[in-house]
Amino acid sequence: MSVLVVTGTGTEVGKTVVTAAIAAAALAAGRSVAVLKPAQTGVAVDEPGDIAEVLRLAGPVTGVELGRFPEPLAPATAALRAGLAPVRPAETVRAVRELERAHDLVLVEGAGGLLVRLDEDGSTLADVAGPLDAPVLVVAQAGLGTLNVTSLTAEALAARGLRQAGVVIGSWPAAPDLAMRCNLVDLPGAAGAPLLGAVPEGAGGLAPTDFRRAAGGWLAPELSGTWDATGFAAAHGG
């Protein structure tokens, strides 16, 4: 796997921290890594965005942002309101191919969920993953309601002929409730894909050295980690 597209079941599910963890684990495994953010919204020109956060947490990766729009809206709407050109799928695909020439792994972090609109034509992150023939990793919430949105995302991927790499829980609490514990067992069925990790709540607040040291333990071997879904579910009562 040289390109991995990272999407979420919605906003604020932990995509950026998961992306940083994957980058850190890949770096620790000796791979060169680039992280591409096609469209950053809700951040002013002089403010650090998601790429800056990945660099802070993961370490020496190549970070690229193609477009930035200040209002916290869907990229298509944010671009229109800012009077700026949107970032179109073809532009993202070209940027990924260029990064792929010099890196072992290119991570593409989307904005919001899979079908958030990127431009006025209705293009989405799915229109990026398709031409790249890249698997899509879904970052999901831990608690009640996550099975539905995870299933919907999986169905949208399948309807477009896209490959789902698996699911990572973006924020796993120290004291999970019953629904969360049951979801450890139920999420793979809802997604039709394996559970590939669970990043602990507050991981983004760790010191970078601690984050990099721990990242591999949150992710399955498919993502350069050592995390085991069966053992994790058994330990947490799933």
Side-chain angles (χ1 to χ4, degrees), residues 3-98:
V3 179
L4 179 65
V5 176
V6 182
T7 191
T9 54
T11 59
E12 303 299 324
V13 296
K15 288 190 305 297
T16 299
V17 175
V18 169
T19 300
I22 297 169
L27 285 172
R31 306 181 74 189
S32 57
V33 181
V35 179
L36 174 66
K37 183 80 175 182
Q40 173 73 68
T41 66
V43 178
V45 174
D46 57 348
E47 292 179 334
D50 291 343
I51 289 295
E53 181 68 355
V54 171
L55 292 173
R56 183 183 73 83
L57 291 171
V61 304
T62 300
V64 178
E65 179 187 282
L66 296 181
R68 174 174 290 215
F69 313 106
E71 294 180 315
L73 303 168
T77 304
L80 179 64
R81 287 179 53 84
L84 298 171
V87 178
R88 302 188 187 278
E91 181 182 352
T92 300
V93 171
R94 286 194 298 271
V96 170
R97 293 304 187 205
E98 184 65 27

